[in-house]
Amino acid sequence: MSTLNNHQSQGFTLLEILVAMAIFTLIGIASTGLLTNVLDDDKASSERFAQLEKLQRAMLTIERDVLQAMPRAVRINGELNQVVMRGGEDELGGSADSIGFVHGGWHNPQFMLPRSTLQLVGYRLQDDKLQRLYGNYLDNVIGYEPKTKDILDGVSNFQVEFLLSSDEEAQWQESYTGVELPMAVAITLTTDVFGEIRREFLLASQ
């Protein structure tokens, strides 16, 4: 009887403890790896969602401006000008296509601000950033430089095309300088994250 009691009170051997520690270590390593993967995936998802939100904001800004394009010319360096929209390569000093025009719908509640509800805007690609150029006044003084805002980064290419008629044989034009608005404008962005994105806009005045 005493022999049985002594055998039961011996507890775990050193080998059994080492085996148990090894098992717990492996479980801990596996759990840490799984948790790290989950955290990395969550971080990547959050970053991609943030990039998607930036893309959506940029596209909404472009859409709002283009769809409200107005057939209104502005003075260039103080000189009269009849062109209401211009776009294509080397127009606004960017590294790809660009476009410039006047849009309406610029909020000015009860005309309290000393400006019009029209705004001259432009879009261009500079240093892999899509930029929006704008000013507070349509006909600015000689030497005036527009304000510039980066609305989307990670953009490798920016293309603008113009459709001039509804004829079935009409082709998209790579550049346009006209005294009337084109029938439609197409914007194509090539981004590092989402690849190529194309939007086509039928102008409101057509």
Side-chain angles (χ1 to χ4, degrees):
M1 185 68 176
S2 61
T3 302
L4 181 60
N5 290 336
N6 289 336
H7 178 73
Q8 292 177 342
S9 64
Q10 287 179 358
F12 296 104
T13 65
L14 178 59
L15 179 59
E16 291 172 334
I17 293 175
L18 292 176
V19 171
M21 290 178 62
I23 293 173
F24 281 119
T25 300
L26 291 175
I27 294 174
I29 292 173
S31 300
T32 301
L34 180 61
L35 179 60
T36 300
N37 289 336
V38 170
L39 293 176
D40 289 344
D41 290 343
D42 182 67
K43 181 180 179 181
S45 297
S46 298
E47 290 176 352
R48 191 174 181 84
F49 183 73
Q51 292 168 336
L52 179 60
E53 284 187 320
K54 290 180 181 179
L55 175 63
Q56 290 175 329
R57 283 197 297 268
M59 295 305 294
L60 285 173
T61 300
I62 295 173
E63 178 181 1
R64 178 198 63 197
D65 288 347
V66 173
L67 290 181
Q68 296 185 98
M70 303 294 291
R72 204 285 198 180
V74 298
R75 291 178 178 269
I76 298 179
N77 293 325
E79 300 292 332
L80 292 175
N81 166 59
Q82 300 298 320
V83 175
V84 300
M85 178 177 284
R86 64 178 68 242
E89 193 174 3
D90 299 327
E91 284 290 344
L92 298 179
S95 57
D97 287 354
S98 57
I99 184 172
F101 56 93
V102 171
H103 80 88
W106 192 20
H107 191 50
N108 189 352
Q110 298 181 351
F111 293 94
M112 296 177 63
L113 301 176
R115 60 165 174 79
S116 170
T117 57
L118 303 179
Q119 183 184 41
L120 177 64
V121 295
Y123 289 91
R124 71 182 182 188
L125 184 65
Q126 191 76 28
D127 299 326
D128 293 333
K129 294 180 175 62
L130 181 62
Q131 296 180 333
R132 182 178 187 265
L133 286 68
Y134 63 97
N136 290 334
Y137 306 102
L138 291 175
D139 299 304
N140 293 293
V141 298
I142 299 176
Y144 173 83
E145 292 294 331
K147 300 177 182 178
T148 303
K149 181 179 180 180
D150 297 338
I151 64 173
L152 187 65
D153 54 13
V155 181
S156 58
N157 197 19
F158 176 64
Q159 293 179 302
V160 184
E161 295 177 284
F162 305 88
L163 189 66
L164 306 185
S165 75
S166 59
D167 193 327
E168 293 182 358
E169 298 181 356
Q171 300 291 322
W172 288 96
Q173 306 296 315
E174 294 182 354
S175 63
Y176 180 73
T177 302
V179 298
E180 296 180 354
L181 293 176
M183 178 171 227
V185 174
I187 302 290
T188 303
L189 294 176
T190 303
T191 67
D192 299 338
V193 177
F194 300 102
E196 185 177 291
I197 301 165
R198 179 183 174 90
R199 291 288 309 277
E200 298 177 359
F201 305 99
L202 181 66
L203 300 193
S205 62
Q206 299 298 321

